[in-house]
Structures are given as structure tokens and as C-alpha cells.
Amino acid sequence: MNRVLEMWRSVGQESLNLPNVITLFRILLIPVFVILFITPTEDRSLSAAVIFVVAAMTDLLDGYVARRTGQITRLGKLLDPIADKLLVLSALILLVNVDRVSALVAILVIAREVAVTGIRAIAAGEGMIISAETTGKYKMALQVVAITMLILEGTEVSEWGNLHLAGIVTLYLSLVLGYVSGGQYVLSFWKQIVAKGL
């Protein structure tokens, strides 16, 4: 417990740099998205899709800026995955609410995210940082594409094709990748635990 508190104190002392501000902006966009999509009409769904995509794109932007400027911080490493999870899980819960995603799929996604977050929290308590896996990044990209298509279902964009079917298939692919990357997180955590002799 003391290690966790010490880690948070040191994180709090880090300056709020541009990449972290971008991440916080993503978090602030989530309530806007929720307000728009909680009672979806065609116009509100289009607006919600735009907000969702903009929020998702900031995930690429904050990482790019952090790497380009050498401003990678522990605060950023902690905030970034939290922001991603809040965005995706909010969207999935709302999609369940309007019967576009089954509750079982949402539960499986949420269970994976909670498990990975728990592993990262335990690792952080032991002074370890588990960085995002490439498979996890592909999973996130597929989730964004799937959720965007499902948000746009029932709008004029749906004339382009069966957005529901395409969205669900893409979401299932992201679910498979999510569990593969979850296994990679567990393996990485286990290797670090063994290396430390814990």
C-alpha cells in the first residue's frame, strides 16, 4: 500500500505536459458523447459518432506527441489506458441500452478490461509498469471501428451497407484480440514477478 501511495505522489509531481492534457481532453469528451448518445436520434447519433472518433483519435495523438517530444511520463502511462477504457466501456454500455450489442459481449469486454487494469495496478504497486502490447493496440483500433459503425446504425450512413453486421463482426474480432493481448499482459507480469523473485 505504501508503495502505491509513493508512486501516486511521484506521479502527482510530474508536470501536466501536452500529451497528458490531450489525454485529459479525451476523458472530458466522454460525458459529451454520453449525453448525445443516451437518447439517440439520427442527428445525435451522427454527432456522437464524430465525438467518439475525435476522442479515439486523441489516443494516437497523445502517444505520438509524447514520443516525439520525449514527454513520456508515468502519469501518461497510467492515464492513457484509463481514458481508453472509459471511452470504450461507456460506448458499449450505451449500445447495450439501445439493443445494438448483447449484454454478454459487453460483460466479456468489461471483464477483460477490469482484469488487465487490476494486473497493471498490482504491477504498479510493485514498482513495475506494464506497457501496452501491440495486440492490445490493434484490439483498440478494431473496437473504435466496430463501435463507430454501431453508433451510425440507423442513420443515413447505414445506406452504405449493413453497419450492424459489420460492426458486430468487427467487435467479435476485437474481443478475440482483447483476450490474446490480456494473456500477453499476464505473461509479461508473471515474467517480471519471477525476475524479481516475488
Side-chain angles (χ1 to χ4, degrees), residues 95 100-101 141-153 157-158 160-175:
L95 286 167
R100 295 184 195 175
V101 171
L142 285 176
Q143 283 179 338
V144 168
V145 171
I147 289 168
T148 303
M149 287 191 284
L150 292 166
I151 291 169
L152 290 171
E153 182 187 334
V157 181
S158 60
W160 299 351
N162 190 336
L163 289 182
H164 181 77
L165 178 60
I168 290 297
V169 169
T170 308
L171 189 59
Y172 283 152
L173 288 173
S174 75
L175 185 60

Side-chain angles (χ1 to χ4, degrees), residues 29-30 79 93 100 123-124 153 156 174 183 192:
L29 283 177
I30 295 169
L79 272 184
I93 290 165
R100 295 184 195 175
E153 182 187 334
E156 59 188 29
S174 75
Q192 291 188 56

Side-chain angles (χ1 to χ4, degrees), residues 27-91:
I27 293 170
L28 292 174
L29 283 177
I30 295 169
V32 179
F33 164 72
V34 169
I35 289 166
L36 285 169
F37 198 60
I38 200 159
T39 51
T41 61
E42 186 168 343
D43 289 341
R44 289 167 74 92
S45 292
L46 284 168
S47 299
V50 170
I51 294 292
F52 181 80
V53 170
V54 168
M57 293 304 289
T58 64
D59 181 36
L60 297 175
L61 182 61
D62 61 9
Y64 173 78
V65 172
R67 288 187 298 274
R68 254 324 257 272
T69 59
Q71 296 185 75
I72 298 171
T73 62
R74 280 180 289 183
L75 178 60
K77 285 182 179 180
L78 289 168
L79 272 184
D80 188 60
I82 290 171
D84 294 344
K85 286 169 178 53
L86 286 173
L87 178 65
V88 168
L89 298 184
S90 298

Side-chain angles (χ1 to χ4, degrees), residues 6-22:
E6 285 170 17
M7 183 196 68
W8 277 109
R9 281 194 202 100
S10 65
V11 164
Q13 290 166 0
E14 292 176 346
S15 61
L16 201 58
N17 58 26
L18 180 57
N20 293 342
V21 169
I22 294 170

Side-chain angles (χ1 to χ4, degrees), residues 119 122-123 126 128-130 133 182-198:
I119 288 169
I122 294 166
E126 296 296 332
M128 299 178 284
I129 295 284
I130 301 178
E133 297 283 349
Q184 291 173 330
Y185 282 117
V186 170
L187 187 59
S188 174
F189 176 62
W190 181 252
K191 284 179 179 176
Q192 291 188 56
I193 288 288
V194 169
K196 284 196 163 201
L198 297 174

